[in-house]
Amino acid sequence: MRRLNSIAIYCGSNTGKGDTYLRAADALGRHLAKSGIGIIYGGTHKGLMGALADAALAEGGMVHGVITERLRDKGHLHERLSRHEILPTMKERKHRMMELAHAFIALPGGIGTLEEFMEVWTLNQLGEFDKPAGLFNVEGYYEPFMGFIDHMISQSFLPAAHRNSIVLASDPVALLDGLVNFRKVDVPKWM
Ligand code: AMP
């Protein structure tokens, strides 16, 4: 079992359609806080990111925001975080989040969310670190994405075993269990 004291969460800076994704962000924030796991995230009050932070704070959780100067200057910083850091660029911000976190979760989101998740999946694949990454598959949001992963596998760009080198779960309890019990996939990347 892995000891995960803090998890970086990537998620939409929009809320998505309806309130399905907002409820999922709220549930994840509360579950992490109740489990005594600190949240590292992008530091804004906007979208799912803000809902996640508010939910964890409401349960007495530790929420550490890492935001860029540019986004802070636009007024995006959440004002009530346990801790925040302001870094000059997105590149530095992403690096800092990776350094602080013991694992990663992506909730539904847009290209920013996907980009961050793909980077940590790739760094695990290349062996730069061993920090499990999971997708919170709210209402099947990530099914089309996993379909594309299957296409990579069928076209021999990705070993089939690497489909299991991330955790995919549709509820916060299963997702956290999957990360805590995650075993590294040792199948080589190159076929
Ligand atoms: P997106 O999924 O395109 O909405 O982008 C969300 C991801 O990009 C988040 O996980 C953040 O790391 C980053 N991001 C985008 N917008 C913001 C914002 N206003 N404040 C902080 N981070 C942001």
Side-chain angles (χ1 to χ4, degrees), residues 15-27 48 51 138-139:
T15 59
K17 199 169 174 181
D19 64 358
T20 308
Y21 304 113
L22 276 169
R23 280 192 275 111
D26 184 274
L48 295 188
V138 181
E139 298 284 336

Side-chain angles (χ1 to χ4, degrees), residues 58-71:
E59 291 291 344
M62 198 290 292
V63 185
H64 182 158
V66 190
I67 197 165
T68 61
E69 284 172 5
R70 189 181 159 83
L71 290 169

